[in-house]
């Protein structure tokens, strides 16, 4: 086994040709190891604490199969995250060093950070080698609490299938959502962004991850205690401002699922070049109880106070200026309205 570390990424290469070796990166980046023979450099970004530690345990079980499936053709780099946002730094460094693919190993939160690592200062991160002819692809091995993006792609909940998919290396371009506001860094999402009740529920759910997918139910119940439907001002595709009354939740889907399997934007497609925007209006707590099954199976668009439309961009403002309408993307809390959400068509190549 070959192991070599990168200080920022806390990465190690896994190989089969040599025994355990000391740090091979003292004079150069490990991502350049094997460059002459053009072996593919694949970086696996792992959140070992994901799903209450289950991700780290499952990852260790996968390593022998991963090595047998990919080790003869690839330089396999294992990068364990040390805390929030570390996956962003690992991803940016790996792209700059010319990695062929970066694989998010974990739940939607890890995938979200890796996607954000593909960008810096509002632009895609570039390979330091300007003569390089390949681009860095995104991959996924779903092992976390939630794997909603994998559901949209129709993937089985089987990490071995994911490794086989990575071995084949088939790529296609997918869209990425871009979020901008009055201040702060731009933010990116690959799955679903949302505002108001659903975002507040996600904020509370993050406190109960130890309960698995039940955390979303607990978060929703807690969010309801202080929730009030509010009027919102919305502009779609740079058109005129429209007022939507008594909005309960607004969801911007690049993909179909969020909240641990809720099919909130059933017609969304991450390769379509636009969002599906779903707006729930004047919902009461009992509406969610009575219609929850529709939200999970994607038939809620037939409900009278639910609307759906296509959009390449959407700006959202509150009218009452309460300053307390939550915003999140891919389950990550981002603050409050106002925000603008825009699509970046085909922004990332993904191994599918």
């Amino acid at each position: 086994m070959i192991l070599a570390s990168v200080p920022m990424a806390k990465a190690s290469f896994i190989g089969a040709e040599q025994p355990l070796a000391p740090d091979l990166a003292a004079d150069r980046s490990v991502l350049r190891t094997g460059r002459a023979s053009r072996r593919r450099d694949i970086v696996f970004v792992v959140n070992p604490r994901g799903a209450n530690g289950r991700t780290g345990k499952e990852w260790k079980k996968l390593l022998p199969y991963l090595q047998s499936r990919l080790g003869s053709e690839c330089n396999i780099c294992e990068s364990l995250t040390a805390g929030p946002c570390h996956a962003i730094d690992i991803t940016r460094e790996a792209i700059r060093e010319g990695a062929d693919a970066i694989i998010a190993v974990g739940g939607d939160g890890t995938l979200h950070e890796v996607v954000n690592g593909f960008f810096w200062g509002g632009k895609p991160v570039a390979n330091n080698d300007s003569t390089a002819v390949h681009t860095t692809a995104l991959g996924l091995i779903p092992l976390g609490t939630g794997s909603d993006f994998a559901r949209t792609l129709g993937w089985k909940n089987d990490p071995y299938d994911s490794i086989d998919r990575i071995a084949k290396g088939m790529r296609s371009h997918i869209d990425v959502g871009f979020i901008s506001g009055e201040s702060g860094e731009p933010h990116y999402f690959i799955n679903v962004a949302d505002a108001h009740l659903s975002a507040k529920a996600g904020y509370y759910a993050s406190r109960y991850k130890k309960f698995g997918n039940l955390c979303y139910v607990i978060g929703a119940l807690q969010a309801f205690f202080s929730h009030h439907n509010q009027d919102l001002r919305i502009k779609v595709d740079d058109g005129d401002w429209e007022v939507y009354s008594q909005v309960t939740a607004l969801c911007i889907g690049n993909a179909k699922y969020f909240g641990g399997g809720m099919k909130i934007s059933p017609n969304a497609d991450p390769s379509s070049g636009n969002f599906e925007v779903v707006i729930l209006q004047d919902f009461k707590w009992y509406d969610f109880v009575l219609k929850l099954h529709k939200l999970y199976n994607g038939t809620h668009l037939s409900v009278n106070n639910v609307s759906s439309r296509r959009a390449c961009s959407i700006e959202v403002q509150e009218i009452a200026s309460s300053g307390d309408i939550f915003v999140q993307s891919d389950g990550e809390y981002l603050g409050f309205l106002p925000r603008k959400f825009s699509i970046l068509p085909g922004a990332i190549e993904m191994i599918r």
Side-chain angles (χ1 to χ4, degrees):
M1 177 178 287
I2 303 173
L3 295 178
S5 64
V6 178
M8 178 184 294
K10 296 187 178 179
S12 61
F13 270 105
I14 302 169
E17 295 86 356
Q18 299 181 31
L20 183 67
D23 188 354
L24 302 179
D27 299 320
R28 53 179 167 74
S29 166
V30 296
L31 290 180
R32 289 176 185 150
T33 303
R35 182 68 68 196
S37 61
R38 197 57 192 95
R39 290 162 57 89
R40 289 191 296 159
D41 295 326
I42 301 183
V43 179
F44 292 82
V45 182
V46 186
N47 175 13
R49 291 160 302 283
N52 298 313
R54 181 173 61 83
T55 298
K57 295 176 182 177
E58 291 297 319
W59 169 247
K60 289 179 181 178
K61 295 178 183 178
L62 285 176
L63 285 175
Y65 183 75
L66 180 71
Q67 177 57 41
S68 66
R69 195 73 174 84
L70 299 174
S72 63
E73 300 177 357
C74 304
N75 298 317
I76 301 171
C77 178
E78 174 194 59
S79 295
L80 304 180
T81 62
C85 299
H86 191 200
I88 297 176
D89 294 332
I90 293 171
T91 300
R92 287 173 179 161
E93 179 183 16
I95 293 173
R96 289 169 181 147
E97 293 291 342
D100 288 77
I102 300 171
I103 314 300
V105 182
D108 292 310
T110 302
L111 177 63
H112 176 76
E113 285 198 12
V114 170
V115 167
N116 274 269
F118 273 76
F119 303 90
W120 171 258
K123 297 180 181 179
V125 176
N127 189 333
N128 286 336
D129 182 1
S130 60
T131 65
V133 295
H134 72 279
T135 58
T136 303
L138 169 69
L140 173 63
I141 298 179
L143 284 179
T145 302
S147 299
D148 285 318
F149 189 75
R151 287 187 178 94
T152 290
L153 300 180
W155 291 356
K156 298 177 183 178
N157 190 24
D158 184 343
Y160 295 93
D161 277 358
S162 297
I163 292 172
D164 290 343
R165 192 176 298 110
I166 292 163
K168 294 174 183 176
M170 300 297 293
R171 302 181 176 195
S172 63
H173 284 274
I174 60 169
D175 308 330
V176 172
F178 171 84
I179 305 173
S180 55
E182 292 183 328
S183 62
E185 283 289 316
H187 206 85
Y188 301 86
F189 68 99
I190 195 172
N191 199 44
V192 177
D194 53 310
H196 211 9
L197 177 64
S198 55
K200 185 186 288 189
Y203 173 77
Y204 288 128
S206 65
R207 303 177 180 182
Y208 304 105
K209 287 294 182 78
K210 64 181 179 181
F211 296 107
N213 280 345
L214 186 61
C215 70
Y216 301 110
V217 177
I218 299 172
L221 291 173
Q222 187 171 352
F224 257 119
F225 290 140
S226 59
H227 173 75
H228 301 283
N229 296 327
Q230 293 196 39
D231 298 345
L232 297 182
R233 186 181 294 113
I234 296 172
K235 181 191 288 187
V236 174
D237 293 341
D238 297 320
D240 296 329
W241 285 101
E242 305 172 50
V243 173
Y244 281 75
S245 62
Q246 295 297 294
V247 173
T248 305
L250 181 147
C251 304
I252 299 104
N254 186 51
K256 300 180 188 298
Y257 297 90
F258 81 157
M262 190 177 295
K263 198 173 184 180
I264 191 64
S265 42
N267 300 311
D269 180 349
S271 301
S272 66
N274 52 48
F275 298 126
E276 181 179 28
V277 179
V278 176
I279 303 174
L280 282 62
Q281 294 174 266
D282 199 25
F283 266 58
K284 308 296 191 297
W285 68 268
Y286 51 81
D287 288 313
F288 280 97
V289 173
L290 296 174
K291 299 167 185 175
L292 187 62
H293 66 287
K294 290 181 177 290
L295 290 166
Y296 272 93
N297 63 29
T299 60
H300 57 288
L301 299 187
S302 62
V303 175
N304 289 335
N305 49 342
V306 177
S307 60
S308 171
R309 62 194 299 179
R310 292 286 182 177
C312 293
S313 70
I314 177 170
E315 294 182 64
V316 186
Q317 301 177 353
E318 58 174 320
I319 295 176
S321 300
S322 63
D324 63 353
I325 296 184
F326 283 63
V327 176
Q328 71 171 7
S329 65
D330 297 348
E332 302 298 316
Y333 167 70
L334 298 183
F336 305 95
L337 292 179
R339 287 290 193 275
K340 181 176 182 178
F341 307 84
S342 305
I343 198 84
L344 301 177
I348 291 179
E349 276 192 301
M350 186 165 193
I351 299 173
R352 298 180 65 177

